[in-house]
């Protein structure tokens, strides 16, 4: 199996655009953390895409800015429940009520007319990956893993495997998500994970089998079932927990949720970017641990070349 | 390492078990009926292929449990639960309209979302709101808990390719030794007003209310539902069929239309054959959705790869399009073909489109010498996933 290198990274988060500086982002005290301003994507995409898809499209474009041939690049993403635009749902519901009660007849007769005909694309989770792939022409092996903690790490593991095995020579791996959706917030609150700060973001690592000036070498990527692990040999530990209950299960380290909030499926990928930032600042080996509501522990080890 | 198919299970609009569905499919029956779960008057399409089972809070989970239980019982694997993985293709479920309305009221009920109002009302509201019915991961989690599975648990959300792609993940995990047994499959339960509205607004549904893949008069898909699961193992037991290869690609072309040259489909099928070390297959269970574009593109890609002599069929003519469950149901058809030589027909195919130049199987099932079979799943958004299964003596 071939060695897999990280050759580039792209990120967008409440900290801003880019991955440099993420390991030094200051802790914030807001109740929610949004990406400031809309990411510069086309109005047409904004109409069709969920927030996660919008963010994924932005980081994918950044990741491929200097790449000329993309047809065979693999693409692996941890994604969340896209949910659909609240404004669209509001309009649909407003048009579907009779005397304050939802009416299927009224929905068919009028509610449908109030809805953006493209809203179905906001509801399907795969479009978080597919919008970006269509815009950029990415055509290699791929997968979208719904993440409730470790899904994004599964995506990374798949990407590493496809490059290591020769299935493709380059792959994008990361996550994109927004917790700033009422249904998602309600779900997390019900599961006891809403004490964290809901946030949003997206991040991608570009992996390759060959590199002249890699940012890092991928030494390990796996998902463990939350059992006690002995972690040694890393001079920086980066944590991506989904709220205090998950945090309590992790060892000491740099908790990126203090600065970036809980961006769900994007959090592990943002943590990998923070690890890259730490490596670029002189660290030799970075261990990234991510934990969510699914009880699984994502483990990634990146090493400076 | 070989990856053996030890068990299969399915619940479809034509049967509560896989043998029941198989018999109906072989006879060329169709499950497409007028929608009865709600009044579909005024909707873009008023027919669907729905499963006859009691309503439940999370229909996906109910269907998945039935299919997974059947597959697991058949498999009779003797394995440490810590070495069992669960891989499910699923999209988001649907909160009830009552819940969504309550959420809307909590947010002020106006034309714009009032975040401050929502955060005031949400805590009290959340206690009564079971959001697990929405989470795609709920199915895999529930199945894993039921089995005590301690291996990898993954949820693949790739729309129409979800079920097929979940089996790809499961097979890979077994092959790499990440688990010894993998329960994998897919489930779709999209016969509901919101998804019918969504697909209809996109112009994807059949205005005639007919699902007839590859037919010259096809004009769109009919939504279906169902679940299918396989149990894969590194140990052969009594299995005769293995998952031999997998291939995936992205069209990177359009949100709903396939790459008109079929190059994405061709790449995925070619990769699957290469992974299986096979130059050709004896049968193709096509994605075949009854949409004008997909069927022609897929048929041409199959013809380019395999020529015009390999039998091709799609069970979506009988079962409608089960979205996240469709790929796994199609895989079961391919497995059956390899296991027994029974090649299922494309229900509803009366007049094959000359633009779909493959050897169609029509009417009733046929018997054919099938050693290898290919199962295709090509999703909205352009994600393609293909599996090759092979019978071994």
């Amino acid at each position: 199996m071939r060695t897999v290198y990280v050759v580039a990274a792209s990120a967008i988060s409440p900290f801003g655009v880019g991955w440099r500086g993420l390991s030094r982002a200051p802790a914030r005290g807001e109740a929610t953390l949004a990406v400031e301003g809309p990411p510069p994507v086309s109005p047409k995409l904004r109409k069709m895409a969920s927030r996660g898809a919008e963010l994924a499209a932005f980081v994918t474009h950044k990741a491929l800015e200097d790449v000329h041939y993309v047809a065979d690049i693999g693409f692996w993403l941890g994604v969340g429940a896209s949910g659909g635009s609240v404004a669209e749902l509001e309009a649909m519901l407003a048009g579907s009520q009779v005397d304050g009660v939802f009416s299927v007849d009224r929905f068919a007769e009028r509610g449908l007319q109030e809805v953006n005909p493209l809203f179905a694309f906001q509801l399907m989770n795969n479009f978080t990956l597919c919008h970006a792939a269509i815009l950029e022409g990415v055509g290699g092996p791929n997968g979208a893993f719904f993440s409730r903690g470790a899904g994004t790490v599964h995506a990374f593991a798949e990407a590493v495997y496809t490059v290591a095995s020769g299935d493709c020579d380059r792959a994008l791996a990361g996550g994109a998500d927004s917790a700033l959706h009422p249904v998602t917030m309600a779900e997390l609150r019900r599961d006891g994970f809403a004490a964290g700060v809901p946030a949003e973001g997206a991040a991608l690592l570009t992996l390759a089998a060959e590199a002249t000036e890699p940012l890092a070498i991928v030494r390990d990527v796996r998902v463990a079932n939350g059992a006690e692990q002995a972690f040694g040999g890393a001079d920086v530990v980066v944590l991506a927990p989904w709220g205090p209950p998950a945090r309590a299960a992790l060892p000491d380290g740099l908790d990126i949720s203090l600065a970036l909030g809980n961006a769900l499926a994007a959090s592990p990928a943002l943590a990998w970017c923070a690890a890259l930032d730490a490596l670029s600042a002189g660290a030799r080996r970075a261990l990234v641990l991510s934990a969510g509501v699914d009880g699984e522990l994502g483990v990634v080890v990146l090493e400076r070349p | 390492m070989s990856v053996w198919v030890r068990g299969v299970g399915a619940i479809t609009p034509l049967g509560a078990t896989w043998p029941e569905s198989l018999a109906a499919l072989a006879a060329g029956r169709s499950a497409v009926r007028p929608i009865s779960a709600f009044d579909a008057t005024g909707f873009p399409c008023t027919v669907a292929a729905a499963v006859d089972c009691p309503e439940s809070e999370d229909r996906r989970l109910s269907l998945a449990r039935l299919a997974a239980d059947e597959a697991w019982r058949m498999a009779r694997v003797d394995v440490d639960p810590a070495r069992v993985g669960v891989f499910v293709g699923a999209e988001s479920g649907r909160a009830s309209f009552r819940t969504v309305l309550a959420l809307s009221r909590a947010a002020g009920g106006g034309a714009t979302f009032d975040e401050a109002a929502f955060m005031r009302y949400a805590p009290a509201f959340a206690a009564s709101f079971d959001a697990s019915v929405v989470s795609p991961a709920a199915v895999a989690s529930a199945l894993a808990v039921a089995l005590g599975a301690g291996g990898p648990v993954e949820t693949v959300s790739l729309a129409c390719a979800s079920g097929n792609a979940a089996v790809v993940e499961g097979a890979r995990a077994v092959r790499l030794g990440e688990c010894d047994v993998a329960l994998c499959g897919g489930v779709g339960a999209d016969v509901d007003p919101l998804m019918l509205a969504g697909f209809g607004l996109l112009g994807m549904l059949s205005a005639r209310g007919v699902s007839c893949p590859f037919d010259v008069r096809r004009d769109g898909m009919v939504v279906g539902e169902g679940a299918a699961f396989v149990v894969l193992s590194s140990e052969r037991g009594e299995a005769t069929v293995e998952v031999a290869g997998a291939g995936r690609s992205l069209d990177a072309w359009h949100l709903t239309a396939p790459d008109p040259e079929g190059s994405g489909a061709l790449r995925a099928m070619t990769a699957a054959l290469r992974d299986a070390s096979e130059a050709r297959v004896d049968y193709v269970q096509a994605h075949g959705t009854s949409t004008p574009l997909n069927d022609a593109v897929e048929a041409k890609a199959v013809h380019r790869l395999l020529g015009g002599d390999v039998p091709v069929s799609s069970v979506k003519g009988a079962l409608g399009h089960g979205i996240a469950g469709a790929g796994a149901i199609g895989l079961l058809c391919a497995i059956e073909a390899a296991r027994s030589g029974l090649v299922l027909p494309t229900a509803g195919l009366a007049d094959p489109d000359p633009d779909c130049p493959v050897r169609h199987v029509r009417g009733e099932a046929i018997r054919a010498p099938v050693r290898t079979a290919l199962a295709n799943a090509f999703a909205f958004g352009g994600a393609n996933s293909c599996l090759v299964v092979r019978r071994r003596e």
Side-chain angles (χ1 to χ4, degrees), chain A residues 105-119:
Chain A
D105 285 344
R106 184 61 64 89
F107 171 64
E109 175 192 319
R110 195 176 141 208
L112 285 180
Q113 312 309 318
E114 303 295 330
V115 174
N116 166 11
L118 304 173
F119 89 103

Side-chain angles (χ1 to χ4, degrees), chain B residues 204 207 303 384:
Chain B
M204 300 174 69
H303 190 270
N384 305 310

Side-chain angles (χ1 to χ4, degrees), chain A residues 87-278:
Chain A
E88 296 286 348
L89 287 173
E90 288 272 355
M92 180 192 72
L93 288 170
S96 305
Q97 294 181 51
V98 175
D99 297 329
V101 176
F102 183 84
S103 158
V104 175
D105 285 344
R106 184 61 64 89
F107 171 64
E109 175 192 319
R110 195 176 141 208
L112 285 180
Q113 312 309 318
E114 303 295 330
V115 174
N116 166 11
L118 304 173
F119 89 103
F121 295 139
Q122 300 174 5
L123 295 177
M124 300 181 78
N125 305 329
N126 66 307
F127 279 107
T128 305
L129 178 143
C130 292
H131 276 300
I134 292 166
L135 286 168
E136 303 299 328
V138 177
N142 61 93
F145 294 81
F146 181 77
S147 186
R148 271 298 169 256
T152 305
V153 184
H154 282 300
F156 192 22
E158 284 296 307
V160 169
Y161 176 73
T162 56
V163 174
S165 66
D167 212 10
C168 58
D169 292 327
R170 280 199 166 208
L172 303 174
D177 206 349
S178 176
L180 304 179
H181 191 285
V183 174
T184 304
M185 279 202 217
E187 178 186 2
L188 292 172
R189 189 174 291 272
R190 184 181 186 276
D191 288 346
F193 281 81
V197 175
E200 58 181 7
L204 284 177
L205 301 191
T206 306
L207 308 177
E210 291 181 0
T212 46
E213 291 183 356
L215 297 174
I217 301 171
V218 181
R219 287 301 186 200
D220 192 9
V221 52
R222 57 194 155 91
V223 175
N225 279 337
E228 284 295 317
Q229 304 277 328
F231 300 114
D235 45 351
V236 63
V237 178
V238 182
L239 309 176
W242 286 20
R247 175 65 187 90
L250 298 176
D252 289 339
L254 170 64
D255 181 353
I256 65 154
S257 68
L258 296 176
L260 305 181
N262 182 359
L264 305 181
S267 284
L270 288 167
W272 308 333
C273 287
L276 284 182
D277 184 53

Side-chain angles (χ1 to χ4, degrees), chain B residues 45 203-222 258 260 286-301 314 316-318 321 346-358 360:
Chain B
C45 183
M204 300 174 69
L205 299 179
S206 168
R208 294 193 302 133
V210 178
S211 182
C212 49
F214 306 114
D215 194 281
V216 69
R217 293 204 307 155
R218 68 189 185 279
D219 67 338
M221 69 184 209
V222 169
H287 186 58
T289 54
S290 188
T291 53
L293 290 176
N294 171 82
D295 293 2
V297 167
E298 181 178 13
K300 283 178 184 156
S314 166
K316 291 188 180 71
H321 192 340
T346 300
L349 175 53
D351 187 5
D353 185 353
D355 280 346
C356 300
V358 292
H360 298 287

Side-chain angles (χ1 to χ4, degrees), chain B residues 143 176 219 224 249 334 361 368 387:
Chain B
L143 295 179
L176 292 180
D219 67 338
S249 72
V361 182
L387 282 159

Side-chain angles (χ1 to χ4, degrees), chain B residues 85-106:
Chain B
V86 178
F87 304 83
V88 176
E91 289 280 340
S92 295
R94 217 79 60 222
S96 69
F97 280 114
R98 185 169 56 87
T99 298
V100 179
L101 260 178
L103 274 170
S104 171
R105 287 196 194 101

